[in-house]
Amino acid sequence: MNKYKLGEMEQRFADLIWLHEPIQSRQLSEICTEVFDWKRTTTYTMLKRLCDRGIFQNSNGIVRSLMSKNEFGALQGEQFIETSFDGSLPQFLAAFTRHKKLRKKEILEIQQLIDEHKEV
């Protein structure tokens, strides 16, 4: 299973949690009824699915994230590069820049990241 790959509704639900956390599960259910027109059981089913993946936890009726939205996005990116480019960041960048030219500012930001993280 792709632990960090979410369907569209899973992603929207996760974004809603990140926006409101920490949040009581009952309040989350009420928000989901308004936003998605979900029944309470749908909210709890979706919540359990994302808790089982280790993204959120529901403890004593309080829902909290186990990772920030940015941390989750980074893990999604790593998983994508691993499965799509055999874990090769240079292969990903080559494919990406084949269709999109980088602006000078982007090149400088990438160079700064490389300089900060290169092995000595």
Side-chain angles (χ1 to χ4, degrees):
M1 171 173 61
N2 289 321
K3 186 175 182 179
Y4 303 114
K5 184 175 182 178
L6 301 181
E8 179 185 349
M9 289 309 296
E10 290 173 323
Q11 185 65 57
R12 290 179 61 197
F13 180 64
D15 288 340
L16 193 84
I17 296 171
W18 278 311
L19 182 64
H20 294 284
E21 73 169 317
I23 186 170
Q24 293 180 346
S25 56
R26 178 184 207 117
Q27 184 182 6
L28 179 61
S29 177
E30 291 168 1
I31 292 172
C32 288
T33 297
E34 291 176 29
V35 175
F36 304 129
D37 196 27
W38 286 356
K39 292 182 176 9
R40 180 181 52 82
T41 54
T42 304
T43 298
Y44 286 106
T45 299
M46 185 73 78
L47 179 59
K48 182 176 181 346
R49 189 181 308 164
L50 297 184
C51 287
D52 289 346
R53 290 184 180 177
I55 302 167
F56 300 102
Q57 73 175 18
N58 183 7
S59 178
N60 298 319
I62 303 294
V63 179
R64 291 182 172 84
S65 64
L66 295 174
M67 62 184 75
S68 71
K69 185 175 181 176
N70 285 341
E71 290 169 325
F72 181 75
L75 291 170
Q76 279 182 314
E78 289 174 20
Q79 181 176 291
F80 173 75
I81 290 171
E82 187 62 41
T83 58
S84 301
F85 296 94
D86 295 323
S88 172
L89 184 58
Q91 283 182 20
F92 166 75
L93 287 172
F96 182 82
T97 57
R98 211 172 285 131
H99 300 285
K100 181 185 183 292
K101 295 296 179 194
L102 297 175
R103 295 186 314 261
K104 187 172 186 166
K105 181 181 179 198
E106 292 172 320
I107 293 169
L108 291 172
E109 289 174 6
I110 292 170
Q111 185 61 54
Q112 183 179 357
L113 285 170
I114 291 169
D115 292 344
E116 289 173 4
H117 292 91
K118 67 181 167 185
E119 294 178 11
V120 182

